[in-house]
Amino acid sequence: MKKMTLLFSVALIVMIAFTAVGCAKSEPAAQAPAAAVAAPAAPVSDGSQDLKISYRLNVAEADVENYFSFTGNIRYMAVDKDHADATTGASDQGSTHLFNAYLYDVEGKATLSSGLRGLFLFGVTPYEQILTDNLNAYKTSDGKVVVQYAHRGTAYRITSDSNGKLQFPNGSFEMRPIGYIASGAPQVISKDFSADGTSATIDWEKVWDSSVAGGKVIEGSDKKTGNIMKNIAAADAQYFFDGTLDMALENDVLTIGGALTAVHR
């Protein structure tokens, strides 16, 4: 009987001990500090030739040798020495719209300079367009090639480095709103930049002078001038073009050529 009482007492003590342990709050396990989230790696070019370009433009006179060629990885989007059709004045092979496949991503965001694309189109349009948009090109004393023009009220300037290289994606591509166009009429240029309000008398020094403030209403309209801005790939485009193109100006003939790489963000 005493043994039974003793065994019962031991069992009761063990049960009470387990119950106490089960009811006690357990301390949370120590956790390792969360690892810092690494910043996404910067896009890197693989050096592939995703867009090849060859271009020739006589900036001084009409020239049947002017052309624009490009080819790339987008199927059927290529032309070989496209030029202005003698009858219609339009591009013979449709580069005016075909090149847009490389200029924009699938969301319509620019992948390179729209001003450069505009320059390419002078090679596939009649010489009159050069006069209408007052396109001119020159070389600086340190070897840079500069091209500037005004189209539909916006001025563009493209400048190579001293070795004749156009750098991508962040080379010297600029733009500035200086006028407007309505109903297919000639451009109206602010008299801040043109003595008579036409593109023919644009004062390019004033256009690219940042001390000439933008934001002014253009005479006879509700349009305003703007400030000098970069004209490069959109910061949120799905990809951009990287690399260099060679730009040269000899005897009033402008040439541009080379290959660029598409770099995905």
Side-chain angles (χ1 to χ4, degrees):
M1 189 66 157
K2 288 182 180 180
K3 286 183 179 180
M4 292 291 292
T5 302
L6 180 59
L7 288 172
F8 178 78
S9 299
V10 171
L12 182 61
I13 291 169
V14 171
M15 186 187 310
I16 292 171
F18 273 112
T19 302
V21 170
C23 293
K25 292 182 179 180
S26 58
E27 291 294 327
Q31 296 183 351
V37 178
V44 177
S45 170
D46 64 4
S48 57
Q49 296 188 342
D50 299 313
L51 176 60
K52 298 177 183 178
I53 288 171
S54 180
Y55 174 78
R56 178 191 189 278
L57 179 67
N58 188 326
V59 300
E61 61 184 8
D63 191 335
V64 295
E65 298 299 319
N66 292 342
Y67 71 85
F68 177 37
S69 297
F70 65 88
T71 186
N73 296 332
I74 303 176
R75 197 175 185 186
Y76 304 129
M77 301 301 173
V79 299
D80 183 25
K81 290 196 172 182
D82 195 9
H83 55 277
D85 181 88
T87 302
T88 65
S91 63
D92 183 67
Q93 299 178 45
S95 57
T96 304
H97 60 272
L98 292 177
F99 192 71
N100 285 345
Y102 296 95
L103 177 63
Y104 301 109
D105 67 12
V106 295
E107 295 182 342
K109 295 172 182 175
T111 60
L112 49 74
S113 164
S114 61
L116 179 63
R117 181 260 189 182
L119 174 59
F120 288 150
L121 297 186
F122 285 100
V124 297
T125 56
Y127 179 69
E128 287 72 20
Q129 193 66 50
I130 287 179
L131 300 177
T132 297
D133 291 350
N134 196 358
L135 183 146
N136 61 90
Y138 62 93
K139 291 177 73 171
T140 64
S141 59
D142 60 355
K144 294 178 181 178
V145 179
V146 181
V147 183
Q148 55 195 0
Y149 66 93
H151 184 67
R152 299 187 70 83
T154 299
Y156 297 94
R157 180 167 67 172
I158 298 160
T159 307
S160 77
D161 65 16
S162 57
N163 295 312
K165 303 286 186 182
L166 284 177
Q167 305 285 347
F168 295 80
N170 297 313
S172 185
F173 303 94
E174 301 165 286
M175 62 183 289
R176 183 174 196 175
I178 61 171
Y180 69 95
I181 189 169
S183 304
Q187 297 183 82
V188 176
I189 307 298
S190 167
K191 290 185 178 178
D192 281 355
F193 307 108
S194 169
D196 60 4
T198 71
S199 59
T201 63
I202 290 175
D203 185 332
W204 291 107
E205 287 190 9
K206 289 183 178 179
V207 171
W208 305 118
D209 183 350
S210 59
S211 69
V212 180
K216 296 182 181 180
V217 175
I218 301 170
E219 299 85 346
S221 77
D222 59 353
K223 310 295 184 182
K224 292 183 178 180
T225 61
N227 294 319
I228 301 168
M229 299 175 286
K230 289 185 177 181
N231 180 230
I232 56 178
D236 56 350
Q238 294 175 343
Y239 68 96
F240 60 88
F241 283 104
D242 179 69
T244 62
L245 295 177
D246 294 312
M247 185 160 73
L249 181 66
E250 299 294 339
N251 300 318
D252 294 321
V253 174
L254 175 71
T255 57
I256 300 175
L260 300 174
T261 302
V263 180
H264 292 265
R265 288 191 167 97

